[in-house]
Amino acid sequence: MFKNYLKVAFRNLRRHKVYSLINILGLSIGMACFLLIIFYIQFQRSYDNFHENRKNIYQVVRVNMRGEDIDRRVNTGAPLAPLMLENLSGIDKAVRFTCFRGELIGHGEKRFIERHFFFADESVFDVFNFPLNQGDSDTALEDPFSVVITEETAQRYFGDDNPLDKTLTYQLHAKKFDFKITGVLAEVPRNSHLEFDFIASYQSLRAIAGEWFMTKHWDSPTWTYVLLPEGYESGKLEQLLPDFSERHVDKWSFAAVSHELLPLEDVYFRSPGPDIGRSGNSQFLFVLTIISAFILLIACINFMNLSTARSGSRAKEIGLRKVIGAQRPQLVRQFIGESLVNSFLAMILAIFLVELFLPTFNNFIGGELKINLLKNSAYLLTMLLTAFVVGILAGSYPALFLSSFKPVSVLKGRLRSGGSAVLIRKILVVGQFVMSIALIASSVFVFQQINFIKNRELGFNKNQVITIPIRDRSVRERYELLKNKWLQDPNILAVTASSMEPGVTSQNGIEVKTRDADDIDMGIIYVDHDYVRTLEIELARGRDFSKDISTDATQAILVNEAALEVFGWEDGLGQQMELYFKREGKIIPQYQGTVVGIIRNFNFRDLTTPMQPILLKIDRSMFYYTMIRVNSSRLNESINSLKRTWREFQFDYPFEFTFLEDDMNNVYRNTDNFAAVTRYGTFWAILISCLGLFGLASFSVEKRTKEIGIRKVLGASVPGLIRLINIDFLRLVALANIAAWPLAYYAVIRFLQYFAYRISIQIWVFLLAGGVAILVSLFTVSFQALKAARANPVDTLRYE
């Protein structure tokens, strides 16, 4: 019986080549898109699953409270872990990771700026599964100035030589230290949120950063993880954390400070930041899931529609099978089986499409998804399960519909498509166009929002500005000499330095006291005299910093208009300020100054953050970036001049630069990826819909061949016949618009909530999406309609 079903299935594939090709091609495209996205989601959801203790490992989150404001951060400071081990029961081990992002590491002539040099406690190998290929994990980080490195790092510094017991020179600012290599890590899985090239002994930090860093610095780039005993409930420990934090943790200027535990399995998606390494976006994955489901569902709908539309061609076969004793369950199994054959054939083609699409897909998700079906049983199982489920889903309705035919009616030639079957087919067509139109409208809005963000007036000029990070203390000390040397080149238009890169990194914080208010937490950017001029920030009133006024270097302050509102000032010029920090309940004065100028509000943070108040203060010791405005028409010459001067000063750190505009665009990389996925998903959804519509139109024209011939004989024109065939389909697409617009509106509202500055929702976008769908369906159906309308009526009316 099975052999007979299989033979009939392949016979039907050969007999109806066009419909079979449309079915298989539509399913394969839908499956390929679905599988790519599902594989990516599986990979994202697998982060940190390779750790044996993953269910008992937690990242510690610091919770800062001031009034109604709650700020969660995962940089907890170096003092936390030892205090937790000493004062809290229920913690087996604790691990600290500290990373300064930008140390100079060298061996002989090879020197590189490294951004993944981590210091970690020696318990790191007890808590996490990072095995060593060389060395002993029990003792590798036991001694100060020991370090383990990855295989890739070993190759970069030592080539094919054995790196064990060799030394690397570590330089942070002006300090240099030699580290002995005590181990080589096995390949760190790509699905690890911890991303490092070096792990150095944490005790080394006592000599590098000092005792204060180890015992008093609560805001350092340090992340803390704890391992709880097997079966111990994290809630018990969390109940102890508020009291522990109150007794042992410095609140700085916050009203209260506490801590929470974040399970390791949630760190990749839910860590509040700043992130220690890789992080994911669960909303992005949710959208990907919806898009993949839409595309696959549209492909299944095509299959259902074409199978039920061609019911007449299978009617006599079904009637004969029933007459000779076939039961309905047997017929259902037959048609489900044929659907599974189509589905698995489509899956074979989908595998090739996945390999074809994979580089492009990796491009716009910014990932490195690798698919090896032979080595990854989860991926293989997903493909087989997808083919099986699609086969059952796509074949279920046609099987139930076709098996319901009455043999007497079929064999007497009185088979007519029932009203319910036609209605269901129309509903399916409407459904797939609802999804396509919603994707079109959403894609347009996403494109508009991203374009709006990238071209919004920021309050400063980001164009033709080169950014050079300052990693060496000697650069700060000789900054004025370097700046003056650069400015001798006529292609260098302006030079400034700052504590942050606008629109990319974060501002510093400080406490402010004025005549009218105390303890106001305020953002501050440390700058040089030419910051406002270089970035072309507009001055609202008062004056800019001036080198001609000697007190400006120590006492002058600029504030933006948003700061005036916080302080309750109408003018602000001449107002006195005291700037300070709070540590261990004590006030530590920093500056006293006078407001000499008011600048217009400018977006010094990315545009997901609303406008914030800010102070500008001159302090050369806080410079971490220098920004240079260059002549756009002589760009290469300007860069070469900057590089040449840098080398003349013989700084320890090599010359490196980026463009401010590029750095700002990188901030929105995830949003760009989201837009790319939406755009490509829309394209494939429309293409699959068109394939199905083409098949239905072809079948509709085939059924109405004699009707068209008679109409032509009676004088119907070709345009009139095309209009006649199109009208039924256009009604369905028009109906789909009504259902799609609310769906798209809801999706866009959810997307725009992510941005502090957003576009308005305009009705023309929905009309455009509907218009595109109508034009696409009109073109698809008209192609078949024109072919039928131009046929010779003599041929169409000839007796068969």
Side-chain angles (χ1 to χ4, degrees):
M1 185 66 72
F2 175 77
K3 183 179 178 181
N4 177 258
Y5 288 164
L6 200 61
K7 186 185 294 183
V8 171
F10 281 105
R11 186 180 296 159
N12 276 301
L13 286 174
R14 288 197 306 271
R15 183 177 300 167
H16 306 285
K17 294 182 179 65
V18 173
Y19 295 112
S20 300
L21 179 63
I22 290 172
N23 262 340
I24 292 174
L25 186 60
L27 279 177
S28 64
I29 293 173
M31 285 179 174
C33 295
F34 178 78
L35 288 172
L36 272 174
I37 293 173
I38 291 301
F39 289 161
Y40 178 66
I41 291 171
Q42 282 181 337
F43 175 71
Q44 290 279 295
R45 294 292 182 190
S46 72
Y47 262 79
D48 300 311
N49 283 351
F50 61 91
H51 296 295
E52 292 178 7
N53 298 321
R54 61 184 178 277
K55 294 189 180 299
N56 301 315
I57 301 173
Y58 294 83
Q59 186 182 58
V60 183
V61 179
R62 176 179 170 126
V63 184
N64 299 321
M65 290 164 277
R66 181 185 287 110
E68 296 182 356
D69 295 331
I70 298 178
D71 175 42
R72 286 179 168 82
R73 301 179 66 82
V74 288
N75 55 322
T76 55
L80 180 67
L83 286 170
M84 291 184 77
L85 285 170
E86 183 180 346
N87 295 281
L88 293 171
S89 59
I91 299 178
D92 263 359
K93 296 181 185 297
V95 180
R96 293 167 291 182
F97 292 95
T98 294
C99 181
F100 299 111
R101 315 255 189 222
E103 300 94 323
L104 184 64
I105 310 297
H107 176 77
E109 298 297 317
K110 295 181 179 179
R111 298 161 74 234
F112 303 97
I113 293 174
E114 301 288 359
R115 293 173 176 81
H116 298 115
F117 192 106
F118 280 77
F119 295 88
D121 290 295
E122 58 184 299
S123 56
V124 61
F125 299 118
D126 298 324
V127 176
F128 297 98
N129 287 104
F130 296 123
L132 298 181
N133 277 344
Q134 293 179 266
D136 183 354
S137 59
D138 292 333
T139 59
L141 299 179
E142 194 173 56
D143 299 324
F145 300 107
S146 55
V147 64
V148 299
I149 61 178
T150 63
E151 287 185 330
E152 184 180 346
T153 303
Q155 184 67 33
R156 189 164 72 247
Y157 283 91
F158 303 102
D160 295 329
D161 293 344
N162 187 347
L164 281 185
D165 296 328
K166 290 186 168 60
T167 60
L168 290 170
T169 301
Y170 172 96
Q171 180 173 343
L172 182 65
H173 306 310
K175 297 180 179 179
K176 294 183 180 180
F177 304 90
D178 287 335
F179 279 79
K180 179 182 177 182
I181 298 172
T182 54
V184 178
L185 286 156
E187 183 180 1
V188 178
R190 290 181 302 117
N191 57 342
S192 169
H193 84 278
L194 292 164
E195 186 180 10
F196 48 78
D197 297 319
F198 309 78
I199 302 180
S201 163
Y202 207 84
Q203 290 304 314
S204 313
L205 275 175
R206 199 172 298 275
I208 295 172
E211 190 65 27
W212 181 82
F213 180 94
M214 301 290 285
T215 59
K216 304 291 185 182
H217 193 358
W218 290 95
D219 197 35
S220 66
T222 300
W223 294 262
T224 303
Y225 295 79
V226 294
L227 175 65
L228 306 188
E230 186 70 34
Y232 186 87
E233 293 183 10
S234 60
K236 293 180 181 179
L237 181 60
E238 285 193 308
Q239 290 176 0
L240 304 175
L241 290 177
D243 181 62
F244 163 81
S245 303
E246 180 66 28
R247 287 188 291 113
H248 297 286
V249 179
D250 187 359
K251 292 186 289 187
W252 288 36
S253 59
F254 296 102
V257 168
S258 187
H259 291 85
E260 297 173 346
L261 300 180
L262 182 64
L264 179 67
E265 295 169 321
D266 294 337
V267 168
Y268 181 68
F269 287 111
R270 292 179 50 203
S271 176
D275 297 312
I276 186 173
R278 300 184 182 98
S279 62
N281 187 324
S282 57
Q283 290 183 332
F284 180 54
L285 289 193
F286 175 75
V287 172
L288 280 177
T289 305
I290 295 297
I291 290 174
S292 66
F294 274 11
I295 293 173
L296 191 60
L297 191 55
I298 288 170
C300 291
I301 288 172
N302 280 348
F303 186 92
M304 293 179 194
N305 277 337
L306 288 175
S307 297
T308 53
R310 290 175 47 241
S311 57
S313 64
R314 305 292 300 274
K316 289 185 178 179
E317 175 197 341
I318 296 165
L320 285 171
R321 284 185 181 275
K322 282 197 168 186
V323 165
I324 62 175
Q327 300 297 313
R328 189 176 184 186
Q330 291 175 305
L331 293 173
V332 169
R333 286 197 296 271
Q334 177 189 344
F335 291 115
I336 290 287
E338 290 182 15
S339 175
L340 287 170
V341 168
N342 279 280
S343 182
F344 276 93
L345 288 174
M347 178 56 71
I348 294 170
L349 180 56
I351 292 172
F352 291 102
L353 292 177
V354 165
E355 290 295 330
L356 183 65
F357 295 160
L358 187 58
T360 303
F361 183 75
N362 274 328
N363 241 9
F364 62 72
I365 63 169
E368 296 180 4
L369 181 62
K370 295 180 181 178
I371 298 174
N372 190 325
L373 298 178
L374 298 178
K375 291 185 178 180
N376 194 320
S377 57
Y379 286 171
L380 185 60
L381 182 62
T382 299
M383 294 183 72
L384 295 174
L385 191 60
T386 299
F388 182 77
V389 171
V390 167
I392 298 294
L393 177 64
S396 57
Y397 173 66
L400 293 172
F401 172 74
L402 295 173
S403 64
S404 67
F405 290 168
K406 307 239 180 266
V408 175
S409 301
V410 169
L411 296 177
K412 286 184 177 181
R414 294 203 300 264
L415 177 66
R416 296 287 184 271
S417 295
S420 61
V422 174
L423 177 62
I424 290 175
R425 197 152 60 240
K426 289 181 177 180
I427 290 172
L428 293 174
V429 171
V430 169
Q432 66 180 174
F433 270 95
V434 164
M435 291 180 274
S436 297
I437 293 165
L439 282 173
I440 294 170
S442 300
S443 182
V444 173
F445 278 119
V446 169
F447 172 79
Q448 282 186 319
Q449 176 63 27
I450 293 173
N451 194 52
F452 172 76
I453 288 292
K454 290 187 175 179
N455 295 287
R456 176 181 164 81
E457 180 59 48
L458 300 171
F460 67 93
N461 186 358
K462 63 182 178 180
N463 300 315
Q464 304 306 322
V465 174
I466 290 174
T467 299
I468 301 174
I470 299 176
R471 307 187 188 279
D472 191 343
R473 185 177 298 169
S474 65
V475 178
R476 296 190 191 95
E477 293 170 351
R478 305 169 68 188
Y479 167 71
E480 288 298 332
L481 293 173
L482 178 66
K483 176 179 177 177
N484 292 333
K485 180 72 172 178
W486 273 338
L487 288 172
Q488 291 176 13
D489 187 332
N491 294 317
I492 309 298
L493 307 180
V495 178
T496 190
S498 168
S499 57
M500 68 169 287
E501 191 176 7
V504 181
T505 57
S506 299
Q507 76 278 15
N508 293 84
I510 202 162
E511 296 293 314
V512 180
K513 178 180 180 181
T514 69
R515 184 180 59 188
D516 306 311
D518 292 344
D519 294 344
I520 297 178
D521 184 31
M522 184 71 66
I524 184 170
I525 304 175
Y526 300 100
V527 301
D528 82 340
H529 291 82
D530 295 318
Y531 185 81
V532 171
R533 185 174 69 86
T534 303
L535 293 183
E536 299 178 4
I537 300 169
E538 187 179 348
L539 197 66
R541 53 186 175 274
R543 64 177 179 83
D544 194 1
F545 296 120
S546 173
K547 291 184 178 179
D548 296 329
I549 302 174
S550 59
T551 55
D552 273 13
T554 55
Q555 298 177 16
I557 296 173
L558 300 183
V559 302
N560 68 348
E561 292 169 315
L564 296 183
E565 298 177 17
V566 173
F567 293 126
W569 296 337
E570 290 186 11
D571 182 87
L573 292 177
Q575 292 283 351
Q576 302 294 310
M577 287 184 172
E578 293 181 26
L579 309 181
Y580 55 91
F581 295 122
K582 278 188 176 181
R583 289 177 189 153
E584 299 179 339
K586 298 178 182 178
I587 291 177
I588 303 174
Q590 296 296 305
Y591 317 97
Q592 287 187 336
T594 304
V595 177
V596 299
I598 313 297
I599 56 175
R600 299 289 184 194
N601 289 333
F602 70 103
N603 291 104
F604 56 90
R605 295 290 304 275
D606 65 77
L607 295 180
T608 62
T609 307
M611 187 67 67
Q612 296 177 341
I614 197 71
L615 312 177
L616 303 187
K617 174 74 178 69
I618 296 174
D619 188 342
R620 187 176 66 184
S621 67
M622 297 297 291
F623 292 169
Y624 291 98
Y625 299 91
T626 179
M627 287 167 281
I628 305 102
R629 183 169 298 283
V630 297
N631 184 346
S632 58
S633 62
R634 312 285 296 267
L635 191 57
N636 288 334
E637 292 179 26
S638 301
I639 294 172
N640 288 333
S641 176
L642 293 172
K643 185 186 299 185
R644 188 166 51 251
T645 302
W646 184 275
R647 288 173 176 170
E648 287 176 7
F649 275 73
Q650 297 182 340
F651 295 122
D652 287 335
Y653 281 72
F655 178 82
E656 55 176 334
F657 74 96
T658 56
F659 286 95
L660 176 59
E661 185 175 15
D662 292 341
D663 291 344
M664 293 179 68
N665 287 337
N666 283 336
V667 172
Y668 305 106
R669 184 178 59 188
N670 285 338
T671 310
D672 287 334
N673 294 340
F674 179 89
V677 169
T678 306
R679 187 168 61 250
Y680 279 91
T682 301
F683 171 79
W684 290 115
I686 293 173
L687 178 63
I688 296 170
S689 297
C690 287
L691 281 172
L693 203 59
F694 180 85
L696 280 177
S698 177
F699 179 76
S700 177
V701 167
E702 184 181 314
K703 284 182 63 179
R704 301 176 72 174
T705 300
K706 285 186 170 56
E707 177 193 343
I708 292 168
I710 293 170
R711 286 181 180 274
K712 286 196 74 173
V713 169
L714 295 176
S717 65
V718 171
L721 290 171
I722 292 174
R723 186 166 58 251
L724 174 70
I725 296 170
N726 265 301
I727 194 70
D728 289 338
F729 291 101
L730 291 179
R731 283 176 183 156
L732 296 179
V733 177
L735 183 62
N737 274 285
I738 298 172
W741 291 347
L743 181 64
Y745 179 83
Y746 173 76
V748 171
I749 287 292
R750 289 286 303 272
F751 170 72
L752 293 179
Q753 287 175 351
Y754 176 70
F755 299 92
Y757 305 92
R758 41 188 176 260
I759 59 173
S760 57
I761 296 180
Q762 299 170 317
I763 193 169
W764 70 263
V765 176
F766 297 104
L767 296 174
L768 173 67
V772 168
I774 288 173
L775 286 174
V776 166
S777 62
L778 190 64
F779 176 79
T780 305
V781 176
S782 294
F783 178 80
Q784 288 288 7
L786 179 63
K787 181 180 175 182
R790 295 177 64 181
N792 189 338
V794 174
D795 296 328
T796 59
L797 295 175
R798 182 180 297 138
Y799 179 77
E800 297 179 0

